[in-house]
Amino acid sequence: MDVSYLLDSLNDRQREAVSAEPGSILVLAGAGSGKTRVLTHRIAWVCQVNGLSPFSLLAVTFTNKAAKEMRSRVEELLGISAGAMWVGTFHGLAHRMLRAHWEAAKLPQTFQILDSDDQLRMVKRVVRQLDLDEANWPPKQAQWFINQNKDEGLRPQSIDAGNDHIQRQMLEIYRLYEELCQRAGVVDFAELLLRALELIRDNDDLRNHYQKRFQHLLVDEFQDTNAIQYAWIRLMAGSNTPAFVVGDDDQSIYGWRGARIENIQHFEKDFKGAKVIKLEQNYRSTGTILKAANALIDNNRGRLGKDLWTESSDGDPIMLYSAYNEKDEARFVIDRIQSWVDDGRSRNEVAILYRSNAQSRQFEEALVTRGMPYRVYGGLRFFERAEIKDALAYLRMLSNPMADHAFDRTVNHPPRGIGQKSIDMIREQAKLQSQSLWNATLALLESAPLSSRVRTSLQVYVDLIKSMKADLEQATLAEKMEHCIQHSGLKAHFEKDKSEKGQSRIENLQELVGAGKGFEIDAVIEDDNMSLLDAFLAHAALEAGEGQAEAWEDCVQLMTLHSVKGLEFPLVFLVGMEEGLFPHQRSSEEPGRLEEERRLCYVGITRAREQLVVCSAEIRRLYGKENYNMVSRFIREIPTEYVQEIRPKAQFSRPSFSSSTPQLSHRQIEEDTGLFVGQNVSHTKFGSGVILNLEGQGNQARVQVNFEHAGSKWLMASMANLQPS
């Protein structure tokens, strides 16, 4: 049988991987190196050459889209229908296994799957059943706790809460939730994997059956596997079945949702005799982009190690723009995109990548102002995000308590014990008396026979709105926003969600305050009867009402760095490249987080095919504060020979230590102290470090130094005795 067609289109390393002798193999596949082609050709090879049946293979990936593409390519290569093959996502294959063995899995034959929303409703039911206050025990936090433990393979009885009251209560929610699910015959997504693992682990006959049936295991995106997925793979492989896994430790960026980089790092140890084949030839990016990416990622320790290269030319240097502030950054980016379009290129070919969702606002506003269509990939526009709508609803209640839609959104959010029956009663009163919901509530409080619990809850809400309105009569727009977010309980509510999503909501709320400050400075109000608050609310409504570009429309793509994996664009902008923003300030709090941030930057760089533009800002108003940050270390880790700086970094001014003293430029402080931002210095106690900031004057001058081992500290310049190093 002529199988040359399986190898003709491959390079040497790809051929080596596809045609390797049976055995466990780790294909370390760099960005843009053709990993999907290798995986599908390997399936065809072992069927055509090694004589395995297509139905004796188990091939697993992470998304339905990837699984569909894999099946399609296998069908094309083998000329058969892949419908009955075990090719799919982890969740899809686990579901298939549980359907086949529902009785052994202790499930009803007609069991159903809960999606995320259904699961949350079930958790809320448990919280109510335990008579817990949702404000203190947010169902979303309990949902996250349940799923996190399931992803680690832990049932309630396997977890020792010790003397931790919060942990004990969460475990009780988890235990009762499991009971309700079992009675209802439903499973959530995390349960699919855990139940499938337990099915194989605890049933010798089934385990032996599947280990004999599947003669070859293939896994895509192996670096993204979590604890339970890896345990399932090892169980299915047993001691004899070879595993062919494809992944890239340099693109492991989902540690915050349970992915374990250790899985790919320990593959050779866990699968004895495993061979490692590196795919390093890149078919996507220019030589300069790849050299920059290699230099950056080489700063991570414990890598399996590879260097991307291309037969293409080096191409253009990486452009570096040091903006004065976030508005200058957005202006520069939009100008570059316009030049790209003027040269006959498509807006669809352009992506703006950022670390935090909150950064999208500045670019959205600039794009709307310039009339340039755009899409926020994998997310909502800033003013359409739920937490922003929540905060705006409270602001609308300050402006006009008769706004029923704002009342509806705020009356029991965050939860304050006002149930649906109470809300229905308010609506009925409003309908009968042709009143607003607010006035109906006031009327019910004055005359209706209410239970003490309902009366108290409604009175708390009414008093909250009244007190905020009175307290903020003379406040600035930004102060009103900050006060509403804090005193409404929204901030505390979202802070209870410890996941990345919860943190992103907090950052978005903080950025709303920043939007308020910017609006105060920039707004031109033509109607003298309109307050600044009303003008901003109108602005927010119009921004949200603009609507994203249609999927078919030629538009700029905006997305977070976590969303861009698997995509590529001719022109990529990496924005907000400053210490504290990217790498994120939280990366210094946990071991390994900084290296994951660097991998995230590596992913961003390797999305660019032709041109990469990197931007930082000297002053950035973000999350409601003005920040004066150093340029990101990730920029400093790219060799200068690959970078073309658009303009030299400018001197800038910042407020001095005392608000009553005039502003003082860094240059003036440098003359007083002999110190300057970016200078390497040493301290007798704290060791070596770099100067981040200067403020004050004379004897009051202070210097902020980021010490290598002691972290960031403010010192009196006259007493610190800092020595240049």
Side-chain angles (χ1 to χ4, degrees):
M1 179 186 296
D2 182 14
V3 293
S4 59
Y5 76 97
L6 293 176
L7 303 178
D8 287 346
S9 63
L10 307 179
N11 65 36
D12 290 343
R13 286 298 184 192
Q14 291 172 336
R15 286 194 196 99
E16 181 186 357
V18 167
S19 62
E21 289 298 315
S24 290
I25 295 170
L26 166 59
V27 179
L28 201 60
S33 62
K35 68 178 180 64
T36 305
R37 174 183 292 269
V38 166
L39 198 61
T40 52
H41 279 64
R42 175 66 173 179
I43 292 173
W45 181 270
V46 296
C47 291
Q48 298 281 51
V49 176
N50 299 128
L52 297 186
S53 164
F55 309 107
S56 69
L57 308 181
L58 177 67
V60 60
T61 187
F62 276 83
T63 67
N64 288 314
K65 180 182 176 183
K68 184 178 179 181
E69 182 182 357
M70 195 185 298
R71 279 193 296 268
S72 174
R73 291 200 191 186
V74 169
E75 286 178 343
E76 187 179 336
L77 289 169
L78 292 178
I80 63 166
S81 172
M85 288 180 64
W86 281 67
V87 176
T89 64
F90 278 102
H91 291 97
L93 295 174
H95 177 243
R96 182 172 176 177
M97 187 173 285
L98 293 176
R99 284 288 177 205
H101 308 287
W102 56 271
E103 206 164 11
K106 299 181 177 62
L107 287 169
Q109 189 173 9
T110 57
F111 76 86
Q112 300 296 312
I113 300 173
L114 292 174
D115 64 20
S116 183
D117 288 341
D118 290 335
Q119 184 191 25
L120 182 59
R121 277 191 283 272
M122 185 76 85
V123 173
K124 285 182 177 180
R125 182 178 162 192
V126 171
V127 171
R128 287 194 299 270
Q129 200 165 316
L130 291 171
D131 200 25
L132 298 173
D133 184 349
E134 285 191 16
N136 296 323
W137 301 97
K140 280 204 170 183
Q141 179 69 8
Q143 181 185 33
W144 176 81
F145 176 85
I146 291 167
N147 291 338
Q148 182 193 45
N149 280 290
K150 285 189 179 185
D151 284 345
E152 293 294 319
L154 298 173
R155 296 289 187 193
Q157 60 270 24
S158 307
I159 304 168
D160 180 13
N163 295 320
D164 189 329
H165 165 66
I166 294 175
Q167 185 88 335
R168 285 204 305 271
Q169 187 62 73
M170 283 294 193
L171 284 175
E172 182 61 17
I173 294 172
Y174 185 5
R175 185 191 63 75
L176 184 54
Y177 168 80
E178 282 206 322
E179 288 181 7
L180 288 180
C181 287
Q182 189 66 31
R183 279 205 301 270
V186 295
V187 295
D188 55 52
F189 285 114
E191 182 71 18
L192 283 172
L193 297 177
L194 180 53
R195 189 74 65 118
L197 174 72
E198 292 170 340
L199 175 69
I200 300 301
R201 184 193 67 198
D202 302 337
N203 191 308
D204 294 343
D205 290 340
L206 276 178
R207 186 171 63 255
N208 292 333
H209 165 75
Y210 280 111
Q211 287 176 352
K212 288 177 182 176
R213 170 172 182 170
F214 295 125
Q215 299 172 49
H216 205 53
L217 266 62
L218 303 102
V219 186
D220 193 13
E221 301 288 6
F222 189 67
Q223 76 281 345
D224 293 336
T225 53
N226 63 21
I228 200 165
Q229 289 161 344
Y230 190 44
W232 186 73
I233 290 166
R234 293 188 65 186
L235 265 181
M236 296 295 283
S239 56
N240 298 316
T241 305
F244 185 92
V245 306
V246 181
D248 183 2
D249 58 327
D250 291 334
Q251 296 188 74
S252 179
I253 59 173
Y254 299 120
W256 49 274
R257 69 182 188 197
R260 289 188 170 184
I261 192 172
E262 296 87 357
N263 294 346
I264 193 169
Q265 293 172 338
H266 295 166
F267 181 79
E268 289 180 87
K269 175 173 69 72
D270 294 336
F271 289 80
K272 301 300 181 185
K275 182 179 181 180
V276 178
I277 299 173
K278 298 179 182 180
L279 304 184
E280 298 172 298
Q281 184 174 359
N282 177 281
Y283 292 92
R284 175 188 299 158
S285 305
T286 66
T288 296
I289 290 169
L290 296 180
K291 289 171 188 174
N294 289 335
L296 171 85
I297 203 64
D298 199 43
N299 288 277
N300 275 2
R301 300 176 182 178
R303 296 176 59 231
L304 296 173
K306 64 183 180 316
D307 282 310
L308 298 179
W309 61 276
T310 181
E311 290 182 343
S312 300
S313 66
D314 280 350
D316 295 329
I318 294 167
M319 292 187 183
L320 171 62
Y321 183 70
S322 298
Y324 297 108
N325 55 30
E326 73 281 358
K327 290 183 182 295
D328 183 33
E329 178 187 55
R331 178 204 56 76
F332 168 77
V333 169
I334 308 308
D335 283 349
R336 296 293 307 182
I337 295 173
Q338 189 60 58
S339 297
W340 177 268
V341 174
D342 290 345
D343 287 341
R345 302 298 295 265
S346 165
R347 284 184 288 264
N348 272 330
E349 297 177 319
V350 181
I352 303 173
L353 310 182
Y354 37 80
R355 175 61 180 85
S356 167
N357 262 311
Q359 290 171 258
S360 76
R361 183 188 65 83
Q362 199 66 52
F363 292 97
E364 288 184 55
E365 291 192 353
L367 286 160
V368 168
T369 300
R370 294 284 285 270
M372 192 175 289
Y374 71 93
R375 283 188 66 79
V376 179
Y377 182 92
L380 296 169
R381 294 164 58 108
F382 183 78
F383 287 110
E384 292 172 347
R385 292 167 189 161
E387 60 277 11
I388 299 302
K389 287 186 172 183
D390 293 339
L392 291 175
Y394 275 101
L395 290 168
R396 287 192 173 93
M397 289 301 292
L398 297 189
S399 173
N400 176 21
M402 309 306 160
D404 283 353
H405 66 295
F407 179 96
D408 257 336
R409 194 169 189 106
T410 58
V411 66
N412 196 42
H413 184 61
R416 51 177 60 90
I418 300 172
Q420 191 58 47
K421 285 185 179 179
S422 300
I423 294 172
D424 289 343
M425 180 174 57
I426 294 169
R427 287 181 179 146
E428 186 62 26
Q429 168 76 11
K431 181 179 177 182
L432 290 173
Q433 301 299 324
S434 299
Q435 295 174 308
S436 67
L437 295 176
W438 172 259
N439 281 341
T441 302
L442 297 180
L444 287 171
L445 284 171
E446 187 174 330
S447 60
L450 304 171
S451 70
S452 59
R453 186 182 64 79
V454 171
R455 181 176 294 279
T456 300
S457 297
L458 288 175
Q459 193 65 57
V460 165
Y461 172 71
V462 168
D463 290 346
L464 171 68
I465 300 300
K466 286 182 175 179
S467 65
M468 286 200 300
K469 188 172 178 65
D471 293 344
L472 299 175
E473 198 67 42
Q474 303 302 318
T476 66
L477 177 58
E479 287 170 346
K480 288 176 180 176
M481 290 176 170
E482 202 150 17
H483 188 94
C484 277
I485 290 167
Q486 185 73 41
H487 290 267
S488 67
L490 285 174
K491 186 170 184 286
H493 174 71
F494 291 122
E495 279 177 339
K496 289 175 182 173
D497 182 354
K498 303 301 182 186
S499 68
E500 187 89 0
K501 190 173 183 179
Q503 181 60 39
S504 179
R505 291 187 191 280
I506 295 295
E507 290 175 349
N508 286 337
L509 288 173
Q510 292 168 337
E511 177 59 12
L512 180 63
V513 178
K517 288 181 179 176
F519 193 80
E520 288 170 334
I521 296 169
D522 300 334
V524 177
I525 302 175
E526 297 174 356
D527 184 350
D528 292 337
N529 295 319
M530 180 180 278
S531 69
L532 192 63
L533 173 57
D534 286 336
F536 181 82
L537 291 171
H539 162 74
L542 291 170
E543 284 280 307
E546 282 286 323
Q548 296 197 49
E550 297 295 336
W552 47 264
E553 195 171 349
D554 181 25
C555 57
V556 179
Q557 310 294 309
L558 274 66
M559 66 193 76
T560 66
L561 282 151
H562 281 106
S563 300
V564 76
K565 191 155 174 291
L567 303 176
E568 58 185 70
F569 301 89
L571 173 59
V572 167
F573 293 89
L574 267 179
V575 300
M577 295 288 288
E578 299 126 40
E579 289 291 310
L581 184 54
F582 192 38
H584 199 282
Q585 60 186 10
R586 293 196 307 275
S587 67
S588 62
E589 298 168 6
E590 297 177 32
R593 285 290 291 268
L594 179 59
E595 294 206 340
E596 182 161 319
E597 289 283 293
R598 188 175 283 111
R599 293 194 293 271
L600 191 57
C601 186
Y602 174 83
V603 166
I605 290 173
T606 55
R607 299 310 97 190
R609 282 163 40 192
E610 300 172 26
Q611 180 68 69
L612 174 66
V613 183
V614 179
C615 300
S616 65
E618 295 167 3
I619 306 172
R620 182 178 299 277
R621 185 189 296 129
L622 188 66
Y623 313 145
K625 299 176 183 176
E626 279 200 340
N627 300 287
Y628 300 76
N629 295 328
M630 285 185 64
V631 66
S632 171
R633 71 190 71 193
F634 299 152
I635 290 179
R636 302 197 300 270
E637 289 170 356
I638 298 174
T640 54
E641 60 262 33
Y642 306 136
V643 177
Q644 177 186 342
E645 195 161 0
I646 304 300
R647 70 172 182 84
K649 190 170 183 178
Q651 296 290 330
F652 61 91
S653 299
R654 65 159 293 159
S656 63
F657 182 53
S658 169
S659 60
S660 61
T661 56
Q663 287 192 349
L664 188 67
S665 74
H666 276 197
R667 188 173 296 280
Q668 288 172 291
I669 304 172
E670 288 165 11
E671 291 173 358
D672 288 346
T673 64
L675 304 172
F676 57 89
V677 172
Q679 183 181 20
N680 291 311
V681 294
S682 62
H683 186 272
T684 53
K685 179 179 179 182
F686 301 125
S688 60
V690 62
I691 294 178
L692 301 182
N693 224 329
L694 298 161
E695 66 178 25
Q697 55 185 310
N699 291 333
Q700 297 301 313
R702 301 198 313 159
V703 57
Q704 184 186 18
V705 184
N706 186 30
F707 292 104
E708 188 173 342
H709 299 295
S712 177
K713 295 185 180 295
W714 280 99
L715 305 171
M716 298 301 295
S718 60
M719 302 173 65
N721 194 26
L722 295 170
Q723 300 298 318
S725 62

